[in-house]
Amino acid sequence: MTPESVYLPFNRDVLGEAFVPAKHGGALPERQGHWVIVQDQGLIVSTDHHELALPCGECPAGLEGLSAPLWLGTLRGTPCWVSSLPREGKVPAGLHRETLVPMQGTRLPDDLLSLGGMAMQALWWESTSGHCPRCGERAERIANEWGKRCPRCKYEHYPHLHPAVITLVHDGDRVLLARKSIWAPGRYALIAGFVDNGECLEGAVRREVKEEVGIEVKNIRYVGSQNWPFPSQLMVGFVAEYAGGKVTIDPDELEDARWFPRDGLPNGPSRHSIAGFIIEHYARQR
Ligand SMILES: [Zn+2]
């Protein structure tokens, strides 16, 4: 199976044509519409209805210390405004903070996870791009862009997305999973890591697998990708075949790694993650 693009929350594709991303710097729409308000790693949602929904209309009252709203884009013709609420800020009655983190059991529907993920990344970019990384001068927004320009040295930079590879290694009827000591007991996951300078994606897969579990892989195949806003990764998913070597963990990275039979995997990862997608489509079935 080689999907056009995998259906996963945090990928903008989930919203389809309903969402049109903003171009900054031009004439802003009126400051009302959908409010995508992030507090820590949670999204502020309305609890007035049976379903979790974004506050809509004027900026919701009773939220103290909101950051200046950013225009994220337009959802079904209605502007979406992003703002952050300080960690200690109170959430008034009628609103509720719901986690955006899949591993914390989020109840948010996929469209709100995708909007919330974009909001988190926009806010992360705003919080880290205020000054020129080269000379330290206060940076200015480039018209019609998210990018920033330094008025002194003219350095320009744009929102940073960090590519990381995540790989299922298989060998006949068994698959390799690993765990870190900080994870909940019994939880195992795929091998993952960031792409280094000078590396291609397949090279990163080979290196990460070799470094973390000491084995060689072959037949590396791309299977899909997911935008992951914690804070700004692009997770690129692969499957690879075992090609040799003995499983030997890097104790700085992992607590354990072992082969599991395809019909006896230890835990189901979140359906919201590319890891869950890969295991569902490539580990449980041949
Ligand atoms: Zn500069």
Side-chain angles (χ1 to χ4, degrees), residues 163-223:
V165 293
I166 180 163
T167 308
L168 173 79
V169 181
H170 60 97
D171 177 34
D173 280 332
R174 57 184 194 162
V175 297
L176 185 70
L177 300 175
R179 64 169 272 108
K180 298 189 186 214
S181 58
I182 55 168
W183 292 350
R187 186 178 156 228
Y188 280 78
L190 305 180
I191 308 292
F194 288 104
V195 180
D196 271 352
N197 283 347
E199 267 185 334
C200 63
L201 295 169
E202 294 83 353
V205 168
R206 276 191 294 273
R207 176 185 53 77
E208 282 290 344
V209 171
K210 181 74 180 171
E211 278 179 7
E212 294 203 1
V213 294
I215 62 172
E216 315 287 338
V217 291
K218 63 182 180 182
N219 294 337
I220 299 166
R221 279 194 302 139
Y222 168 76
V223 295

Side-chain angles (χ1 to χ4, degrees), residues 132 134-137 150 152-155:
C132 173
R134 189 156 65 185
C135 78
E137 182 72 19
C150 174
R152 178 157 46 179
C153 76
K154 309 302 177 201
Y155 178 82

Side-chain angles (χ1 to χ4, degrees), residues 97-275:
R97 183 178 76 182
E98 178 68 24
T99 182
L100 283 154
V101 182
M103 271 72 80
Q104 293 174 358
T106 181
R107 297 179 301 153
L108 292 168
D110 292 351
D111 57 345
L112 295 194
L113 286 173
S114 297
L115 285 166
M118 284 190 279
M120 282 178 67
Q121 282 168 297
L123 292 165
W124 176 254
W125 171 241
E126 285 305 302
S127 74
T128 55
S129 63
H131 292 83
C132 173
R134 189 156 65 185
C135 78
E137 182 72 19
R138 180 169 282 281
E140 296 171 347
R141 189 182 293 286
I142 299 167
N144 299 310
E145 304 279 0
W146 285 100
K148 304 284 181 76
R149 179 186 290 122
C150 174
R152 178 157 46 179
C153 76
K154 309 302 177 201
Y155 178 82
E156 291 184 1
H157 66 152
Y158 286 80
H160 304 161
L161 201 54
H162 304 282
V165 293
I166 180 163
T167 308
L168 173 79
V169 181
H170 60 97
D171 177 34
D173 280 332
R174 57 184 194 162
V175 297
L176 185 70
L177 300 175
R179 64 169 272 108
K180 298 189 186 214
S181 58
I182 55 168
W183 292 350
R187 186 178 156 228
Y188 280 78
L190 305 180
I191 308 292
F194 288 104
V195 180
D196 271 352
N197 283 347
E199 267 185 334
C200 63
L201 295 169
E202 294 83 353
V205 168
R206 276 191 294 273
R207 176 185 53 77
E208 282 290 344
V209 171
K210 181 74 180 171
E211 278 179 7
E212 294 203 1
V213 294
I215 62 172
E216 315 287 338
V217 291
K218 63 182 180 182
N219 294 337
I220 299 166
R221 279 194 302 139
Y222 168 76
V223 295
S225 64
Q226 185 181 30
N227 194 292
W228 192 248
F230 305 100
S232 56
Q233 281 91 267
L234 180 66
M235 303 301 297
V236 190
F238 292 89
V239 294
E241 272 180 58
Y242 171 72
K246 181 173 183 298
V247 173
T248 314
I249 59 164
D250 173 358
D252 291 339
E253 292 275 345
L254 298 175
E255 180 185 70
D256 187 30
R258 61 178 70 184
W259 295 103
F260 288 91
R262 286 178 188 270
D263 57 4
L265 300 179
N267 59 294
S270 168
R271 69 163 190 90
H272 296 103
S273 70
I274 183 97

